[in-house]
Amino acid sequence: MVELAPYAVSESNSHGRNIVEPTPQGRGEFQRDRDRIIHSGAFRRLEYKTQVFVNHEGDLFRTRLTHSIEVAQIARSIARRLRLNEDLAEAISLAHDLGHTPFGHAGQDALNNCMQAWGGFEHNLQSLRVVELLEERYAEFDGLNLTFETREGILKHCSRDNAAKLGDLGARFLNDRRPSLEAQIANLADEIAYNNHDVDDGLRSGLITLEQLADVPLVARHLDEVRSAYPVLPERRIVHETVRRMINTLVSDLIRQSEQNIAAQKLATLEDVHCAPVLIAFSDELNEEQRVLKRFLHTNLYRHYRVMRMSAKAQRIIGDLFGVFMGDNRLLPPAFQRPAEVERARSVADYIAGMTDRYAIREHRRIFAVEEV
Ligand code: MG
């Protein structure tokens, strides 16, 4: 096994767990974090949650589960090449979307609107809430009692107000310090994964076309390469070849640029990472190309009228559920009932955020459809 870089997170420089536990046998601390995440209920529910396409729209579209696995796979390759902690990068990646609401970003926006009077709703903070509090699997503690470094990586961004309430974990947002390189990797692996699979799913759904993508340099140059190498390839294979090459280009560029950034900082310890600027990064050229791609996806896919219809429906479902539960505590499952308004709002948000797409649709029907028993 390749030795970790001196500035990688390791068991010897880890801040450990909030509740001290015996050292794991036959696996490392960060592998234990990963295993706890995989065995959690919130992780299994990712299978039925989506970001762009609603789960029942097609069996071939990414769900948050397959998205998280793709992120983990990309993050591990990068971490290994940079001699960073692959197990930590994997654990963070697998957990990064645990707090997502049903119906992707439309769901998050709707719940955040509903929660305005009670501190808002942010999926990143919710992911942390899932692993620190909401998972009920252990006799001796709430949540999964993950290491500080995994939790630090899950909390990608945070407002100063919220950071002030989070103690050690929030401190870096107040003191202008960076998270570990492993957390920085998980963050950009997420970006590589969704940009590329949204192109793939967008094409498969027919909402965007290869012709439109000819104006997006990152796609166009790989597409041209594939077309000239294989003039008679069926379209689906052209798409796969193109997306595969795009991922490869982005990962290689990220490794190259990050290596340069790390070398320029002369990092010696993990503390140096916290004090340095963000070091895991794409080159300027690839950053610009990704920006163009994101803008394209935003205009042509995320704002496509068919996606907008689904988003509007999702917002209505979440708004309706929130309103009805806040109005009458007795309609909530007993575990989520809270008499006081503030606690009730957070509990209703926890209940709704934990729903899968189809559960939210069914729950809405159970409450609002007259014929439903
Ligand atoms: Mg993600």
Side-chain angles (χ1 to χ4, degrees), residues 51 64 67-68 71 93 96-97 100 105 123 156 186-187 189-191 193-194 197:
Q51 18 202 19
R64 284 207 183 271
H67 162 70
S68 301
V71 175
S93 303
H96 84 285
D97 271 354
H100 257 291
H105 293 287
H123 66 84
K156 250 190 321 206
N187 186 18
D190 184 25
E191 201 172 312
Y194 67 69
H197 64 52

Side-chain angles (χ1 to χ4, degrees), residues 246-265:
M246 281 162 51
I247 295 176
N248 196 30
T249 297
L250 289 164
V251 169
S252 309
D253 179 83
L254 185 75
I255 290 169
R256 213 167 28 240
Q257 186 63 50
S258 304
E259 269 170 347
Q260 281 176 25
N261 295 349
I262 290 168
Q265 288 289 323

Side-chain angles (χ1 to χ4, degrees), residues 73-94:
Q73 179 265 323
I74 292 169
R76 284 178 54 199
S77 317
I78 299 168
R80 188 185 301 204
R81 277 288 304 277
L82 297 177
R83 294 193 300 129
L84 296 166
N85 193 321
E86 195 179 324
D87 298 324
L88 174 60
E90 182 181 24
I92 296 169
S93 303
L94 291 174

Side-chain angles (χ1 to χ4, degrees), residues 149-268:
E149 291 72 20
T150 299
R151 293 182 298 120
E152 172 196 63
I154 292 172
L155 193 64
K156 250 190 321 206
H157 32 73
C158 185
S159 67
R160 291 183 70 87
D161 281 357
N162 285 327
K165 296 177 207 145
L166 289 173
D168 276 7
L169 211 57
R172 77 177 167 89
F173 297 97
L174 304 172
N175 305 333
D176 190 30
R177 285 160 63 89
R178 255 52 59 199
S180 67
L181 295 175
E182 290 81 354
Q184 296 179 33
I185 288 174
N187 186 18
L188 292 189
D190 184 25
E191 201 172 312
I192 295 176
Y194 67 69
N195 280 331
N196 285 283
H197 64 52
D198 288 352
V199 168
D200 189 27
D201 285 349
L203 288 166
R204 184 182 290 108
S205 66
L207 300 187
I208 56 174
T209 64
L210 276 179
E211 286 61 45
Q212 285 175 301
L213 281 162
D215 295 331
V216 180
L218 181 63
V219 185
R221 62 193 172 93
H222 293 100
L223 184 59
D224 291 348
E225 201 180 283
V226 173
R227 278 191 167 140
S228 57
Y230 306 100
V232 289
L233 209 57
E235 175 146 326
R236 273 319 298 169
R237 287 206 199 206
I238 293 179
V239 173
H240 290 311
E241 277 292 334
T242 305
V243 171
R244 213 157 46 77
R245 283 160 200 243
M246 281 162 51
I247 295 176
N248 196 30
T249 297
L250 289 164
V251 169
S252 309
D253 179 83
L254 185 75
I255 290 169
R256 213 167 28 240
Q257 186 63 50
S258 304
E259 269 170 347
Q260 281 176 25
N261 295 349
I262 290 168
Q265 288 289 323
K266 302 189 171 43
L267 299 181

